[in-house]
Amino acid sequence: MRTFIYTIVAAVTIISCTDKAAVAQDWQFEKVIDLDGINPIGIAMDGNDIFLSDGDHNRIVKVAEDGSILFEMEGFERPMHIDFGEADFEITDKVTTSLLKERALFVPEYGRDSIAVIRDNKRDYLVLQDSLDAPAAISIFKNEIAIADFYPNRVLYNNGKEWISIGTEGKELGQLYYPTDVQITESHIYIADAYNHRAQVFDKTGKAIAIIGADLKINAATGIFVTDEEVFLTDFENGRILIFDMKYQLKQIIETNIDKPTDVYVQDGFMYITNYRKGQLIKYALKDIENEQS
């Protein structure tokens, strides 16, 4: 009899744990963060510090959680989608050339056709053997780098040893039409193929693997962010964030308080969305769906 009771208790415990682990989650609205005089295009985080590119005012700003400006650096020419990273690449201050050996903020300057490299309030520029034409985004992953080169309809990718050019102008798989954002992961390169109104996935040889969101009536896919579990894509003109699983199936559409989103950043269960038109950050949190009813 005692064995039977223990068996029932164990079974109930297992079922209870399984139910707890199976609780579904989605992204839920947290708050609007008003930005005073900032029209954000790109967002990156360094720890808990939030950095924004303010392309309309040609500056990079660091803001607090309440939206107040903690630091700004001016004198850029249309800074776009930014990223932090540490990579062994040559940089120059236009007089001398050196090898970058520390973590830095990389800033694509759309109007200067160059990549600024910022650390300790010092500004250098990435040394490239190829020329850029309106770089719109940059991604750093370990010792790899990718640059979305807007007008040539390509992404320049360096695997730590050599550069390759990904994409040509067009609408087929593997072709791009004004790419505006890019992210490198462990095994793939994700590109916001803005005016093909979709995202694309490439392997690190430059081979196209998949198209994301082509059937969802996206109008300008301007920003992309990828975690281990999800792909986030901004739908600029329609005021939406589309969230996909890693099989690239749609999981969730976010629209509350979204207005002309240009970029998205996800960290520690929170999502920050840049509302370009209204000069805002929109914060969402990943929560159990059942909590929406409580």
Side-chain angles (χ1 to χ4, degrees):
M1 182 65 173
R2 181 179 297 176
T3 302
F4 178 68
I5 293 173
Y6 286 163
T7 301
I8 292 175
V9 171
V12 170
T13 302
I14 291 170
I15 292 170
S16 176
C17 291
T18 301
D19 288 345
K20 184 176 181 180
V23 172
Q25 293 184 312
D26 68 0
W27 292 93
Q28 301 172 30
F29 173 74
E30 281 273 299
K31 65 178 179 177
V32 173
I33 303 170
D34 289 314
L35 303 169
D36 185 14
I38 302 171
N39 297 104
I41 292 178
I43 179 172
M45 296 184 69
D46 189 27
N48 292 320
D49 294 332
I50 302 170
F51 289 78
L52 303 170
S53 60
D54 183 3
D56 288 359
H57 302 97
N58 295 312
R59 61 181 177 167
I60 297 295
V61 295
K62 175 183 173 182
V63 299
E65 179 75 21
D66 64 0
S68 59
I69 297 176
L70 301 175
F71 164 85
E72 64 179 302
M73 180 177 283
E74 299 178 318
F76 297 93
E77 291 189 22
R78 192 68 175 172
M80 298 292 283
H81 293 264
I82 56 180
D83 196 16
F84 278 94
E86 182 176 349
D88 293 335
F89 287 98
E90 284 189 325
I91 55 174
T92 180
D93 59 7
K94 303 300 177 70
V95 177
T96 60
T97 299
S98 60
L99 193 65
L100 179 66
K101 284 292 186 181
E102 67 234 74
R103 185 169 173 81
L105 176 62
F106 291 76
V107 182
E109 292 190 67
Y110 185 92
R112 188 174 273 148
D113 299 332
S114 60
I115 307 295
V117 182
I118 312 300
R119 73 252 190 263
D120 298 328
N121 299 331
K122 176 176 168 53
R123 186 181 318 185
D124 291 294
Y125 285 88
L126 192 65
V127 175
L128 297 169
Q129 302 305 313
D130 203 344
S131 60
L132 301 174
D133 190 359
I138 190 163
S139 177
I140 310 295
F141 180 80
K142 297 181 180 178
N143 207 38
E144 303 168 34
I145 186 169
I147 302 167
D149 203 10
F150 187 77
Y151 285 118
N153 299 293
R154 66 176 181 171
V155 165
L156 283 178
Y157 168 66
N158 190 294
N159 59 14
K161 297 179 181 179
E162 62 180 355
W163 288 94
I164 64 171
S165 180
I166 298 174
T168 58
E169 182 178 341
K171 300 184 178 300
E172 302 301 320
L173 175 67
Q175 294 184 311
L176 304 171
Y177 195 55
Y178 299 132
T180 53
D181 202 5
V182 61
Q183 185 174 337
I184 309 169
T185 67
E186 189 71 47
S187 56
H188 295 97
I189 301 166
Y190 292 79
I191 299 173
D193 190 5
Y195 293 98
N196 275 330
H197 313 296
R198 64 189 186 185
Q200 288 200 70
V201 188
F202 293 78
D203 69 17
K204 293 186 176 181
T205 70
K207 179 183 177 182
I209 300 298
I211 291 173
I212 303 175
D215 59 343
L216 295 174
K217 298 182 179 179
I218 296 169
N219 191 351
T222 55
I224 194 166
F225 193 89
V226 186
T227 67
D228 290 340
E229 296 84 22
E230 294 174 314
V231 178
F232 302 78
L233 190 63
T234 65
D235 183 357
F236 182 76
E237 296 292 352
N238 291 322
R240 305 184 297 174
I241 305 297
L242 307 178
I243 304 172
F244 303 86
D245 63 25
M246 297 315 291
K247 293 182 179 179
Y248 313 135
Q249 299 301 304
L250 184 66
K251 290 179 63 177
Q252 187 177 356
I253 297 176
I254 286 175
E255 296 177 293
T256 301
N257 291 304
I258 308 300
D259 190 2
K260 296 294 189 286
T262 50
D263 205 359
V264 57
Y265 197 96
V266 178
Q267 178 174 283
D268 298 331
F270 294 102
M271 171 169 47
Y272 295 89
I273 301 157
T274 53
N275 255 8
Y276 172 76
R277 169 177 280 178
K278 291 187 175 179
Q280 298 171 329
L281 278 180
I282 308 301
K283 186 177 182 181
Y284 275 71
L286 186 62
K287 297 181 179 180
D288 294 349
I289 291 177
E290 62 185 13
N291 289 346
E292 294 178 333
Q293 310 301 324
S294 60

